[in-house]
Amino acid sequence: MVEKKRLARIVEYVEELHEKAAAREQFDPVFTADYRYEHTLRVAHYGGLIADAEGFDREVCVAACLLHDVAYFVPGEHEDWWDNHGREGARLVRPVLLGAGFSEAEAAAMCHAIAVHVDGTSDDGLPAGPIDDVVSDADNVDRFSALRIVLWCMTEQDDLGKMAGMLRERLARLYKYQDKNPLATGKGRELFAERVALQIPLFEGILRDIEITRQPDA
């Protein structure tokens, strides 16, 4: 019962932040507060799968995944938010974790995982830990998901030429990921490989469609 109560309090905190953020003007027409909340739920799902497969503490991993992007829900300058949202999020959630009943050691490990999930760096001086890999892998699995493909393409739906350029760059990365899986956990690599295998033929097909979207030769 204690574990369920702790996680339930984290769920309530994230839901409250999302509701407030969704009520404000959105800084991105595609990747809105609603998207960020839905992404968070999926990352928590993948985090649970990875934790179970790797033998890590499921509750701690799921809670960290739920909190990994909370900085996106607070007002601020979002132009450079990507670079710092992990470290900023870690600062925001530490008192929340302690208030929910997590220990100092658990909170420190989760905050470190949240801080480093963006670019691998933190300002807490702590060493790397297994929760770091769970949060990072779960985040990357969803960032390469089927739904993300649709949303990602929507950003350039009115300019096929620009979309084609983006897809060519994306495919170059995917081919590298196909040869060398960048994720850290076994379950994460499995899930990521499935999504890369889905994206490559789809993006190749979109490029072919774009290439034939032209007037026929006279």
Side-chain angles (χ1 to χ4, degrees):
M1 287 297 293
V2 174
E3 289 189 359
K4 183 177 182 182
K5 184 178 179 181
R6 294 198 306 185
L7 192 58
R9 291 177 70 177
I10 299 304
V11 170
E12 290 173 1
Y13 170 72
V14 175
E15 288 178 342
E16 182 180 341
L17 285 183
H18 161 242
E19 289 173 5
K20 291 179 179 177
R24 294 192 294 269
E25 182 180 357
Q26 303 301 292
F27 65 92
D28 188 303
V30 176
F31 297 106
T32 61
D34 287 342
Y35 161 77
R36 191 62 52 185
Y37 176 67
E38 292 157 0
H39 163 71
T40 292
L41 296 180
R42 293 190 296 272
V43 171
H45 170 76
Y46 294 131
L49 293 180
I50 295 170
D52 289 344
E54 304 297 325
F56 300 146
D57 186 313
R58 191 179 207 278
E59 182 202 16
V60 167
C61 290
V62 170
C65 287
L66 283 169
L67 295 168
H68 83 287
D69 270 354
V70 294
Y72 276 110
F73 294 130
V74 300
E77 295 296 328
H78 288 276
E79 230 174 86
D80 300 320
W81 211 235
W82 187 89
D83 294 326
N84 295 306
H85 76 267
R87 289 178 287 277
E88 181 60 28
R91 284 189 283 273
L92 287 169
V93 305
R94 186 178 186 84
V96 176
L97 288 166
L98 295 174
F102 290 95
S103 70
E104 289 278 357
E106 289 171 328
M110 285 187 273
C111 287
H112 182 76
I114 292 164
V116 301
H117 89 273
V118 179
D119 55 12
T121 62
S122 72
D123 51 13
D124 56 23
L126 295 177
I131 306 174
D132 306 356
D133 291 336
V134 175
V135 174
S136 178
D137 281 9
D139 187 34
N140 279 312
V141 167
D142 190 62
R143 288 175 59 238
F144 284 77
S145 66
L147 180 58
R148 184 66 173 253
I149 294 171
V150 177
L151 296 173
W152 192 71
C153 289
M154 282 174 62
T155 62
E156 302 300 342
Q157 61 182 327
D158 297 327
D159 188 335
L160 290 184
K162 193 170 182 180
M163 184 187 292
M166 283 174 43
L167 293 181
R168 291 188 187 97
E169 291 180 6
R170 182 77 161 187
L171 278 167
R173 288 178 61 199
L174 292 173
Y175 294 143
K176 291 179 182 178
Y177 292 154
Q178 192 175 42
D179 293 335
K180 187 176 181 180
N181 193 311
L183 270 61
T185 64
K187 187 63 174 180
R189 286 193 293 271
E190 175 191 326
L191 294 168
F192 188 77
E194 291 173 358
R195 281 143 186 79
V196 170
L198 168 69
Q199 288 200 9
I200 286 176
L202 178 59
F203 286 157
E204 288 174 337
I206 294 173
L207 274 177
R208 287 194 296 270
D209 288 343
I210 292 174
E211 287 166 0
I212 63 169
T213 306
R214 56 183 175 82
Q215 292 181 345
D217 298 330

